[in-house]
Amino acid sequence: MFTDFKVKSYCKGATVVGKSLRRHGTTRETVVMVTPNISEATRTSLWRAFDRVVLVDALDSGDGVRLALLGRPELGVTFTKIHCWTLTEYSKGVFLDADTLVLCNVDELFDREELSAAPDPGWPDCFNSGVFVFRPSLETHGRLVEHALRQGSFDGGDQGLLNSFFSRWSVENIDRHLPFVYNLSSSSLYSYRPAFTRFGHDAKIVHFLGSVKPWNQSRGGSGSDFLSLWWDEYQREIIPYLQIHIYHLFYFLLKYFPLQVTVATETAAPVVTDPDPESLARRSRWESGQVDYLGRDAFKNIQAMLDRFLGDRK
């Protein structure tokens, strides 16, 4: 299983994909591709979710005119995903975008051939490139790069490129049309709701299409129940890890910078008083592992406290 991780803000999504694959018992090796702009710390965190983290060069279409038709200027960099064809140590792969969520074991996709994909909800004669089965090949990779340089992409992103390259997908072999449940759009279109009501419960992979991703929305935000499922996965697998590290940081603060209040006067030496009851209660909650990681104890707030502390010491 392969996923691409091109922009740092997609870290949460990529990690959820990897964790959801593992939780549903995939027997296949999982690989995430990252570009050089991703920090070492972030790459290290991705090792927790994937068997391998592979560094690849970024590819950008630079096609602002066609990307403007989508209203998604950031999607030029999705050309990077064609590097999955260079992973020739594998005989076959299933590519998943970082904004997907796996809902069950999907290892049966490896029974499919290149290029197997589900139809795109916006233009069903084209496949959606968020989930597809492929065979790694340096020859195919070279032809894709040449095709990108010669013809570009009709939408400025990877989907237009891949659909023009695999141009006979819609008519050549119906066996390479994945059922829509392998790439179910989380959004609704005209006439979509009745079909979703009938077939949506069979969903295997959900794809959060569009510019607003689950990690940009609150759990209670607008959208389908799949948003809640994404946050379930995130909180189940990611938050405990973050909580441990925030706890260690805060424990360091408690140990070396105790919660004390110093009152200075003109006539007496500084007096150290006991923390107020709320500070003591908060410390107790931290020491018992009850961290308000989405509120007062969010990492950004701890960082701000550290900055204030260090600023006072200058």
Side-chain angles (χ1 to χ4, degrees), residues 256-276:
Y256 293 100
F257 312 116
L259 292 174
Q260 298 174 336
V261 179
T262 301
V263 179
T265 66
E266 294 181 356
T267 58
V271 177
V272 178
T273 64
D274 291 332
D276 62 84

Side-chain angles (χ1 to χ4, degrees), residues 125 166-174 177:
D125 282 342
F166 295 98
S167 59
R168 294 187 58 79
W169 172 86
S170 63
V171 297
E172 193 166 54
N173 189 339
I174 193 64
H177 289 215

Side-chain angles (χ1 to χ4, degrees), residues 121 124 180 187-199:
F180 195 56
S187 60
S188 297
L189 303 172
Y190 174 71
S191 79
Y192 181 81
R193 180 57 59 184
F196 177 83
T197 302
R198 170 63 180 83
F199 302 107

Side-chain angles (χ1 to χ4, degrees), residues 220-262:
S222 61
S224 70
D225 291 340
F226 293 126
L227 178 61
S228 293
L229 290 176
W230 189 93
W231 275 103
D232 286 342
E233 193 72 50
Y234 179 72
Q235 291 181 313
R236 180 187 299 111
E237 301 290 353
I238 311 305
I239 290 298
Y241 175 76
L242 296 178
Q243 182 171 326
I244 288 171
H245 282 263
I246 294 175
Y247 172 77
H248 286 168
L249 171 61
F250 201 77
Y251 183 79
F252 172 85
L253 294 175
L254 290 174
K255 183 175 181 180
Y256 293 100
F257 312 116
L259 292 174
Q260 298 174 336
V261 179
T262 301

